[in-house]
Amino acid sequence: MSVRDGGPRHGIHDTVPAARWEDGFLSGNGEYGLVALGDPAAERLIVNHHRFVLPNGTRHLGPPAVADRLDEVRDLVLAGEAEAAQRAFTDGRRLAWTQPFHPGFVIEVDRSNPPPARDYRRETDFRTGEVSATWTDIGGVWRSRGFVSRADRVLVYELAGPALDLAVRLSGDLPGRPAGVGYSSLTQVGGPRDALLTVRGTYPPGLGAYGFAGITRLVAVDGPVRLDGDVAVVRGASRLLLLTVLDRADGPVDEEPLRERLAALPAEYLTLLRRHTALHTPMYERVELDLGVPADEREQPVGELLAAQRRAEAPTPALLEAMFHAGRYLLISSSGVLPPRLTGLWLGEWGAAWSGDFTTDANLNLQLAGAGIGALPEVVESLGALIADQIDDWRANAEAVFGARGLLAPSRTDGEHGRLFHLDADWPWAMWVAGADWLLFPLVEHWQITGDDEFLADPLAAWLVEAALFFEDFLVREDEHGSLVLVPSYSPEVGPAGSTGAAAVNATMDIAAARHALSAAVEACTRLGIEEASVTRWQTLLKQLPPYVVDSRGALAEWAWPGLVTPDDHRHVSHLYPVWPLHEITPDDTPELAAAAHRALVLRGDENLSAHGSLHRALCAARLKDPGLVEANLGKVLGNDMVFRSLMTSHNPGLDVYNADAAHAIPAVVIEALVDSLPGVVELLPALPGRWARGRVSGVRCRNRVTVAELAWDLEQSTAHVVLRSNVDAAVVVRCPRAVGPFRRGEPVPVAAGERVRLEFALEDDGEET
């Protein structure tokens, strides 16, 4: 946990216990999640599972079968009758929500009449995934520590001290538990120093799954264990080990496999830790950021780190560097069997906002923005697993809603299915046709980064073909100029200014999605030598897509259709999809459209300062090479009391609504400000804020199979260097808009497989560009 060689700190510490679950320190293996809180007298370990969702009757809901109304709906939208179109494009249903994510249970570890404690310190070690606490009392030094094993799928906790006198219990007593959810717990002694503690949860009947179970194996070293009801009592031991596994099922959980898993595990903390870190640590250490933060600032307790930010006018390098490393740690820890939810993988109470689901129109992709470029292919693969499980539902959505082949993705999912049911006459999600392309994009980026043609061939190419087929069937209307018309069309989650409905024509996001879906399918199929006839059809369709529109304010319009006015104040910036993540509009290749996109970004108000809105804006600002706007949008999160003491973030200012959007997206913003890339190009320091005066980043993956092994800069000395490497022979143009000399416009650089290419260049000494 100490600062290594004066470099960045890879963890956080606090000198006070967590006063609430939101400040609890976090560990996870992408399936199980741990929230550690409490104090020396009463430690609490809240246990989560990625697939714990509360049945609410929506499990078997499907999309509206409205394809036979499509021509009527199109006519209504084109006639400006948005509300009537929205009513016609539903089956009269009310808005139904996904099954809400919920916490599992809490492991209560209570000491009997402990003496006062001093020198309390709790830590999270990002490199190992451990959360720990130490303190001292009259008897001596105490230490608790725990992690969730990626290797053995088990939560591991150890408490060591002079003489353990404590009680351990599994409990369902967490805030907000619905009355219909039942809990029971029991404890069985397996030997003089061994016990099994079991908790069972049951859901209201008839709505979906039956319930869940968790089992904890307790092993005490040199001390007896006895039962007191459902409590295991330990007296006089020097060390206690708890191993916990859990599961959920449609019927009563078969607990025997859980007990067998526990029995097969060694009751040795360090052995289990070594197995886990063999997987976790290499993932975490692939990328590092050093913003030249003084050692004394890096060593601050997290409370002081956050207090220093509250006194600052802009994001402090100390907090930003910590958020970068914490964000990657939390993203790794919450990704595996599924990608991260709105709360990552953690929750300490029932009633999660927006069901704690996967909100796919913005939030999920923003959380994953730093996965590919941040050298975490495992995180991208978790998205691929989610899509693979739901792809049949996407096909059914397209058929039911549009009578079309291909894919229509929902705006949200609880992870159990991908059917499009969250809609009503006011929220026309059946009209959002960009979803499949938007959700497939991180997989396309993964292929660009890795060059993995086997992944392209199976499964990606087939999905890209289906995304293109949807638009081939959907694009049947033309305007007076002969351009294809996207109707109905919906820009999440907003309608044209002055309109009483959100149904519209030619949403910029939908145009971008159609163009990218067709282009990606053409590229993939050409690469693999398949679908030749389809490629010809798609190339023709691409030429017929409508152009983007610049409005009277000089801003990229949200809808490319006469009379549809872009609103000034909304948290979403979906119309900037061509900027981020598509690279379709760039300052270098499309300067006029880039200027219009920048104008749109500046004019858009923040609505409620939601975290995902600010980070989405920051990513777009980085692509548009505006470092001041990057920093300003980071400041909207870091400067508005939106960071908990765990460095998890909130959705709104004032620590309102526990939410992983900002925590997971901040590393992506930092990387995009330092390194941008696309096939054939590596761009360095495209949006470097002046306050990041000196620093170093390593391990960034580029969208051309090149890795930035190291990029270092010093604005005071006006110098920079980069080290590039690749596992294949590659040739890229390297450019830096801040450089003096040939690299400013770009220089071709060959990178031979396995070799490291070092380039040095001078930087301008003037202020940052805006």
Side-chain angles (χ1 to χ4, degrees):
M1 288 294 297
S2 62
V3 174
R4 182 182 64 179
D5 300 328
R9 180 182 180 82
H10 292 282
I12 52 174
H13 75 281
D14 206 348
T15 55
V16 295
R20 54 181 178 172
W21 74 264
E22 292 94 337
D23 288 324
F25 282 3
L26 305 172
S27 180
N29 68 349
E31 182 180 20
Y32 300 173
L34 166 64
V35 183
L37 65 157
D39 57 41
E43 288 212 303
R44 297 291 181 263
L45 308 173
I46 300 174
V47 182
N48 292 274
H49 191 293
H50 230 325
R51 296 193 185 275
F52 278 15
V53 292
L54 176 65
N56 64 358
T58 65
R59 192 181 199 186
H60 302 295
L61 289 182
V66 291
D68 60 338
R69 307 178 192 173
L70 184 54
D71 282 337
E72 173 193 357
V73 168
R74 284 173 165 153
D75 290 340
L76 287 169
V77 175
L78 289 169
E81 299 291 336
E83 287 186 307
Q86 289 167 211
R87 288 193 299 271
F89 217 45
T90 69
D91 48 13
R93 67 181 63 196
R94 293 183 176 182
L95 190 68
W97 283 85
T98 46
Q99 301 173 109
F101 181 52
H102 68 80
F105 53 92
V106 58
I107 303 174
E108 300 175 344
V109 181
D110 293 312
R111 295 175 62 202
S112 301
N113 301 314
R118 64 181 187 276
D119 301 327
Y120 180 86
R121 178 185 175 101
R122 62 188 180 116
E123 300 185 358
T124 304
D125 188 328
F126 300 156
R127 282 198 171 99
T128 65
E130 288 178 283
V131 292
S132 62
T134 58
W135 64 90
T136 304
D137 62 22
I138 193 170
V141 177
W142 293 77
R143 179 183 65 184
S144 69
R145 55 181 177 171
F147 64 96
V148 188
S149 173
R150 190 169 283 269
D152 291 303
R153 297 178 58 220
V154 62
L155 188 156
V156 184
Y157 169 84
E158 182 185 72
L159 176 63
L164 305 187
D165 185 5
L166 51 82
V168 181
R169 177 174 178 261
L170 305 189
S171 170
D173 295 331
L174 288 167
R177 175 160 60 94
V181 176
Y183 272 86
S184 62
S185 58
L186 63 89
T187 301
Q188 303 165 291
V189 170
R193 297 183 176 85
D194 202 313
L196 279 182
L197 296 84
T198 302
V199 64
R200 300 185 180 106
T202 55
Y203 298 132
L207 298 177
Y210 175 88
F212 56 91
I215 302 178
T216 294
R217 177 186 173 194
L218 181 154
V219 180
V221 175
D222 56 38
V225 178
R226 64 178 178 83
L227 301 187
D228 183 2
D230 62 353
V231 177
V233 180
V234 179
R235 293 286 185 266
S238 62
R239 184 164 53 87
L240 171 74
L241 183 70
L242 303 178
L243 304 176
T244 300
V245 293
L246 53 158
D247 202 2
R248 178 178 182 271
D250 287 347
V253 175
D254 184 357
E255 296 172 7
E256 187 57 31
L258 298 179
R259 288 190 284 267
E260 290 176 355
R261 283 175 54 197
L262 289 172
L265 293 172
E268 299 173 1
Y269 184 93
L270 291 179
T271 298
L272 294 169
L273 180 64
R274 282 193 291 270
R275 292 180 182 176
H276 165 68
T277 55
L279 300 177
H280 171 92
T281 304
M283 291 172 64
Y284 176 79
E285 290 186 336
R286 290 173 193 153
V287 173
E288 181 167 89
L289 175 73
D290 183 340
L291 290 179
V293 177
D296 60 337
E297 294 184 28
R298 285 184 174 137
E299 289 286 1
Q300 293 178 104
V302 68
E304 294 180 17
L305 190 68
L306 295 174
Q309 178 61 66
R310 285 192 288 271
R311 296 189 297 269
E313 296 180 354
T316 65
L319 180 58
L320 190 61
E321 186 183 273
M323 293 295 295
F324 180 91
H325 294 125
R328 295 189 71 255
Y329 166 73
L330 295 172
L331 182 60
I332 291 168
S333 301
S334 59
S335 303
V337 299
L338 293 168
R341 295 178 175 272
L342 287 174
T343 65
L345 180 50
W346 302 279
L347 202 59
E349 63 187 10
W350 294 72
W354 305 287
S355 290
D357 64 12
F358 306 93
T359 306
T360 58
D361 64 322
N363 310 65
L364 178 57
N365 283 38
L366 290 167
Q367 290 195 40
L368 299 178
I373 57 178
L376 295 174
E378 299 89 345
V379 174
V380 182
E381 289 163 4
S382 70
L383 172 64
L386 178 71
I387 293 173
D389 284 346
Q390 302 191 358
I391 200 74
D392 286 341
D393 292 333
W394 292 15
R395 295 179 183 121
N397 295 337
E399 174 64 28
V401 176
F402 288 101
R405 297 170 296 171
L407 308 174
L408 183 66
S411 65
R412 54 190 345 111
T413 173
D414 52 36
E416 291 207 333
H417 67 82
R419 293 187 295 277
L420 198 166
F421 69 88
H422 174 78
L423 74 152
D424 64 7
D426 294 321
W427 292 94
W429 283 112
M431 298 179 177
W432 184 51
V433 298
D437 183 71
W438 170 254
L439 288 168
L440 289 172
F441 177 82
L443 306 185
V444 175
E445 182 181 65
H446 174 75
W447 171 56
Q448 292 174 337
I449 290 169
T450 63
D452 185 350
D453 281 344
E454 290 186 7
F455 172 77
L456 177 66
D458 183 21
L460 183 56
W463 297 346
L464 296 177
V465 166
E466 290 187 272
L469 288 174
F470 173 82
F471 283 108
E472 187 175 345
D473 289 355
F474 174 76
L475 292 165
V476 297
R477 297 282 182 106
E478 293 185 3
D479 65 15
E480 60 185 3
H481 304 293
S483 293
L484 293 166
V485 176
L486 289 92
V487 59
S489 187
Y490 179 45
S491 190
E493 302 169 11
V494 62
S499 172
T500 55
V505 185
N506 284 357
T508 295
M509 183 182 197
D510 288 346
I511 297 172
R515 183 170 285 117
H516 181 260
L518 294 166
S519 299
V522 167
E523 182 180 9
C525 292
T526 301
R527 173 89 174 183
L528 298 174
I530 61 175
E531 299 281 350
E532 292 183 10
S534 297
V535 166
T536 300
R537 295 196 310 272
W538 298 333
Q539 288 171 329
T540 300
L541 284 175
L542 280 166
K543 297 175 183 176
Q544 295 176 274
L545 287 174
Y548 301 124
V549 168
V550 177
D551 66 22
S552 60
R553 305 172 302 170
L556 184 68
E558 192 148 4
W559 296 272
W561 193 253
L564 301 184
V565 179
T566 303
D568 287 329
D569 194 35
H570 198 270
R571 62 195 176 279
H572 283 259
V573 287
S574 301
H575 52 315
L576 297 184
Y577 188 25
V579 176
W580 183 89
L582 292 187
H583 273 117
E584 184 187 354
I585 294 177
T586 70
D588 294 292
D589 296 329
T590 57
E592 293 182 358
L593 279 176
H598 187 272
R599 179 70 172 153
L601 186 59
V602 171
L603 288 175
R604 190 70 147 208
D606 290 297
E607 192 180 6
N608 56 6
L609 273 174
S610 61
H612 70 82
S614 296
L615 273 298
H616 200 163
R617 288 161 168 76
L619 287 163
C620 293
R623 288 286 175 87
L624 296 171
K625 304 185 184 182
D626 187 337
L629 203 53
V630 169
E631 189 172 50
N633 279 287
L634 286 170
K636 292 172 188 175
V637 173
L638 302 185
N640 276 297
D641 195 22
M642 297 176 73
V643 182
F644 294 103
R645 294 173 83 99
S646 61
L647 298 191
M648 179 54 77
T649 48
S650 67
H651 187 275
N652 303 318
L655 296 177
D656 180 30
V657 183
Y658 193 84
N659 178 266
D661 291 348
H664 289 166
I666 283 174
V669 174
V670 173
I671 290 174
E672 290 271 4
L674 299 176
V675 179
D676 190 16
S677 64
L678 60 162
V681 177
V682 174
E683 183 154 12
L684 308 173
L685 309 178
L688 177 69
R691 289 182 180 85
W692 308 1
R694 179 171 57 87
R696 173 184 173 275
V697 68
S698 62
V700 173
R701 303 304 196 259
C702 299
R703 300 171 186 91
N704 43 42
R705 303 188 72 175
V706 170
T707 294
V708 176
E710 180 179 76
L711 169 64
W713 69 94
D714 189 326
L715 298 185
E716 293 182 359
Q717 299 296 320
S718 298
T719 61
H721 74 261
V722 66
V723 178
L724 305 176
R725 59 177 172 80
S726 175
N727 60 349
V728 297
D729 289 341
V732 291
V733 171
V734 177
R735 65 188 182 212
C736 173
R738 298 187 67 109
V740 175
F743 286 111
R744 184 180 184 88
R745 293 190 176 274
E747 282 287 297
V749 176
V751 184
E755 295 186 5
R756 295 166 66 90
V757 177
R758 180 184 172 98
L759 307 172
E760 297 185 1
F761 50 95
L763 300 176
E764 294 177 331
D765 58 6
D766 56 355
E768 64 189 34
E769 298 176 2
T770 59

